[in-house]
Amino acid sequence: MRLASRPALLAVCAAVLGSAAVGCAPQDAPSDAAGRATCAPGKLDTVTAGKLTVGTDKPAYAPWFQDDDPANGKGFESAVAYAVADRLGYPRSAVGWQTVPFNNAFAPGEKKFDFDINQISISASREQAVAFSSGYYDVRQAVVALKGSKAAGAKSIADLKGVRLGAQVGTTSLDVINDTVRPTQRPAVYQKNDFAKSALKNGQVDAILTDLPTAFYITSTEVKDAKVVGQFADTGADGEQFGLVLDKQSRITGCVRSAVDALRKDGTLAALEKKWLADAAHAPVLK
């Protein structure tokens, strides 16, 4: 296999002019004739030679994907995945998708994907088990409640302490409930976000937490009797960011980081965000 039991190595990066790729590679990556580490376009040390394997969960939710089809290029994360692939020198025809449950993506152990994209926040605890790209989306958590419920009128974090809250297991949303809201009732925890939404519809919880774009999608399309109550302020020095997940020992992590950095610098990420996530922009900040 391409992965060995060795520590993660530093990356040396250099832009490759005249192509869609960005050059960047760990010190043990393939070298050119002069012995310099390089990320040759389309020739990275991937799971399958000449191919880029991308993981995500199923269902693949909007607005991150559309029609539950990650491969169609529609939706923010599908578009980002193909933009990263292009930067690395892999055309759309060379990109394959693999179903990876959310929690499995950042669990310890060898990965069968080159990177996973699934609204996974970069965190120090997760970095103990996997590697991350640079952040491709700056995210905030939000509260969704049924109109007329006890949670719907919340104006502050304190107003949420006495309501029944729910979130998907292993998510930053659940962390915000436990660490920021600290409700008087133990939160309901669900294996998938679909289960959390069903619980909200059925009145089993007063509100659920999810990322802001998903919150707007839920209220506009899936649960019409719900509203976005508000969002939480950024946490930490750099705020919360979604990142691409890679195997801890992946030899292409530096290449992927460089590709994401280039997409942020040239405005591609901002353009994709405007195209696919434009409606998820405004909500009161809960303090």
Side-chain angles (χ1 to χ4, degrees):
M1 293 294 291
R2 65 189 179 89
L3 302 174
S5 299
R6 59 182 184 277
L9 299 173
L10 298 175
V12 177
C13 304
V16 177
L17 300 177
S19 75
V22 169
C24 179
Q27 292 175 345
D28 62 348
S31 301
D32 61 17
R36 295 171 299 193
T38 181
C39 279
K43 297 180 180 180
L44 305 185
D45 190 10
T46 54
V47 171
T48 301
K51 302 286 185 179
L52 193 67
T53 302
V54 182
T56 199
D57 204 351
K58 188 173 182 63
Y61 300 109
W64 311 103
F65 302 93
Q66 283 195 0
D67 304 320
D68 193 20
D69 181 10
N72 64 16
K74 298 178 181 179
F76 179 70
E77 289 194 327
S78 180
V80 167
Y82 283 117
V84 171
D86 184 61
R87 284 277 175 180
L88 295 173
Y90 293 88
R92 187 162 171 167
S93 60
V95 177
W97 290 84
Q98 180 183 94
T99 299
V100 181
F102 180 83
N103 288 326
N104 290 11
F106 51 86
E110 185 181 60
K111 308 304 178 190
K112 295 182 180 180
F113 53 76
D114 294 306
F115 66 76
D116 185 277
I117 183 167
N118 190 21
Q119 307 115 66
I120 298 175
S121 298
I122 301 168
S123 71
S125 60
R126 289 172 179 170
E127 287 179 320
Q128 299 300 309
V130 295
F132 279 96
S133 70
S134 306
Y136 62 86
Y137 179 69
D138 303 323
V139 65
R140 286 187 174 189
Q141 297 299 312
V143 180
V144 177
L146 290 180
K147 297 173 182 177
S149 70
K150 184 177 180 180
K155 303 296 183 184
S156 67
I157 293 173
D159 293 338
L160 296 172
K161 289 187 178 296
V163 304
R164 296 171 299 168
L165 299 173
Q168 183 178 346
V169 65
T171 61
T172 307
S173 304
L174 184 58
D175 291 340
V176 169
I177 293 176
N178 290 325
D179 301 335
T180 301
V181 180
R182 298 179 181 178
T184 55
Q185 303 179 55
R186 180 177 295 179
V189 181
Y190 303 96
Q191 196 64 35
K192 286 184 174 289
N193 211 33
D194 275 348
F195 301 153
K197 287 181 287 186
S198 294
L200 180 66
K201 287 181 183 179
N202 298 332
Q204 294 170 304
V205 292
D206 297 312
I208 61 174
L209 268 69
T210 186
D211 59 81
L212 188 58
T214 298
F216 275 99
Y217 182 79
I218 289 172
T219 56
S220 66
T221 305
E222 299 181 310
V223 188
K224 295 294 182 65
D225 292 332
K227 61 176 285 188
V228 178
V229 177
Q231 62 180 305
F232 294 86
D234 290 333
T235 56
D238 300 321
E240 181 184 350
Q241 293 184 315
F242 290 157
L244 306 178
V245 179
L246 298 95
D247 191 282
K248 186 69 172 175
Q249 308 297 343
S250 174
R251 297 177 66 186
I252 72 167
T253 299
C255 306
V256 174
R257 285 174 180 163
S258 185
V260 173
D261 289 343
L263 292 172
R264 184 177 288 275
K265 185 176 181 179
D266 70 11
T268 298
L269 292 180
L272 293 177
E273 183 177 333
K274 183 177 181 180
K275 179 177 181 178
W276 298 108
L277 305 178
D279 293 336
H282 303 292
V285 176
L286 302 170
K287 299 180 179 179

